Amino acid sequence: MTRVHLHERFPEISPSALPHVRLGTAPSPVRRIEGLTAGGADVWVKDEGAYGDGGWGGNKVRKLEWLLPEAQRRGARTVMTFGALGTNHGLATALYARDQGLDAAVAVVDQPLDEHVERQFARLCASGATVHRTRTKARTVVAAPGLVLQHTSLVPRRGVRAIVPPYVFPAGGSNPVGVLGTVEAALELAAQVRAGELPEPSHVVLAVGTGGTAAGFALGFALAGLRTRVHAVIVNDTLRLDERQMLGLARRTAALLRRRGADLGPLLLGPGVLGVDTAELGPGYGYPTQACTDAIAVGSEHGVHLDPVYTGKAMAALRSAGRTGRYGAGPVLLLQTHGPRP
């Protein structure tokens, strides 16, 4: 089966108005996790960590397929983004921006350290990106205007020098342009359902670090006509991440598509399509919990390799919800957004 592309889904959108570059290989696979249930519901997994050459950043690559061409459309020479020390998104941005002829700047805040975080930060520093260690969210906000000025370019145009600021996008690439990548992932899942590769899930369970994936799946399911609900498992306490914020981002993404030429028709993006779960957050972003550790062990037993910051907590939420019967007859699908941890 071929990948689902927004330009094929909405041929009325001009590629020049909404440019795209292929960075990964789709579709990402789906499979039933044999021997694992959530209450009475079968458990499936969609492995977004397999998307993208080299696996850097898991599902982050889908967002960059839209963010990097948007930067080029605006004439930017540099992209600027944000993350924590072990940021998959920041590393993916640095590596793929370089491949597209763009410079990258990444401002990073502190997070609990383990061997993976230290290795990931070392990779980021070696990527060629300019790394600004701002340490806290508050200091990042204060420093941001100066960082934008530092990475602003003077570009010759028609005999004069134009001032071109960097293209700035938030942590996780979670602005309406970046969300287009996860809308495609949701449409791809709908196509896999139609092709008989899996039954329509009652819920998709996913970790929420910045909200873009949850917003994209909510919008993608609305576009595809799926009844699947998003179980959004919050793993980040440094951002506002609630139903209103994520559905607002989904609606802003729909508005972007309409502005660029898409005829979307009416969309159902009201309360109930997305449920927020904060029970697995623990002490905060990046801090381990026993439920997460147990969930990682269960995943490993079934050939699903999870991480302690994002997907382990999503699996913990899936197991907890299964015990309460939240998914009914299911099935339920775990979105594996985690890339390799070499």
Side-chain angles (χ1 to χ4, degrees):
M1 187 182 71
T2 58
R3 69 169 289 155
V4 175
H5 197 295
L6 281 176
H7 284 300
E8 295 172 355
R9 178 70 170 75
F10 300 106
E12 63 272 23
I13 301 178
S14 166
S16 62
L18 195 61
H20 175 268
V21 61
R22 176 95 71 238
L23 299 176
T25 302
S28 64
V30 293
R31 68 175 177 90
R32 181 183 173 187
I33 305 178
E34 298 292 339
L36 184 65
T37 59
D42 289 336
V43 179
W44 289 68
V45 62
K46 182 170 175 63
D47 187 7
E48 285 289 274
Y51 191 88
D53 299 331
W56 297 111
N59 67 325
K60 309 300 185 188
V61 179
R62 289 195 188 258
K63 297 177 181 179
L64 292 170
E65 290 186 336
W66 299 92
L67 289 164
L68 298 180
E70 178 67 12
Q72 293 169 324
R73 188 186 76 86
R74 296 175 180 223
R77 298 290 182 90
T78 301
V79 293
M80 179 182 294
T81 193
F82 310 89
L85 286 176
T87 173
N88 286 330
H89 161 70
L91 179 58
T93 297
L95 296 175
Y96 286 97
R98 183 182 63 195
D99 290 345
Q100 298 301 309
L102 293 164
D103 294 327
V106 185
V108 295
V109 300
D110 292 340
Q111 73 176 97
L113 293 176
D114 61 18
E115 290 183 3
H116 169 70
V117 171
E118 291 176 345
R119 288 196 303 268
Q120 195 80 332
F121 183 59
R123 293 186 186 106
L124 178 62
C125 292
S127 68
T130 302
V131 179
H132 301 279
R133 193 166 180 180
T134 50
R135 296 194 177 273
T136 68
K137 179 181 176 181
R139 290 179 63 177
T140 303
V141 170
V142 171
L147 296 180
V148 169
L149 182 61
Q150 180 178 334
H151 292 285
T152 294
S153 305
L154 289 175
V155 180
R157 287 182 181 171
R158 299 178 182 178
V160 298
R161 290 196 170 191
I163 299 173
V164 180
Y167 178 50
V168 181
F169 46 88
S174 292
N175 66 5
V177 174
V179 168
L180 296 175
T182 56
V183 172
E184 280 197 331
L187 293 174
E188 179 182 291
L189 178 62
Q192 290 171 313
V193 169
R194 291 194 299 270
E197 296 182 42
L198 77 162
E200 181 176 345
S202 65
H203 295 77
V204 166
V205 184
L206 51 86
V208 176
T210 58
T213 300
F217 269 76
L219 176 55
F221 291 157
L223 291 170
L226 288 191
R227 295 167 294 177
T228 305
R229 295 185 176 186
V230 176
H231 181 177
V233 182
I234 306 301
V235 301
N236 186 1
D237 59 339
T238 68
L239 298 173
R240 177 189 166 192
L241 295 168
D242 54 27
E243 181 186 45
R244 180 177 179 182
Q245 185 274 334
M246 286 182 273
L247 288 182
L249 179 55
R251 294 185 187 106
R252 293 197 303 276
T253 304
L256 169 70
L257 285 169
R258 289 188 173 104
R259 288 197 305 273
R260 303 287 173 96
D263 181 9
L264 302 186
L267 294 173
L268 296 176
L269 282 172
V273 302
L274 185 152
V276 174
D277 183 349
T278 62
E280 304 302 329
L281 177 61
Y285 178 78
Y287 285 92
T289 66
Q290 187 59 52
C292 177
T293 299
D294 294 343
I296 290 172
V298 169
S300 182
E301 292 172 3
H302 292 85
V304 182
H305 301 291
L306 307 172
D307 76 279
V309 178
Y310 294 95
T311 53
K313 291 183 177 181
M315 175 66 90
L318 184 152
R319 297 180 72 214
S320 177
R323 288 191 289 267
T324 66
R326 175 173 179 170
Y327 304 130
V332 59
L333 182 138
L334 175 70
L335 192 69
Q336 164 62 308
T337 54
H338 177 57
R341 289 169 67 94

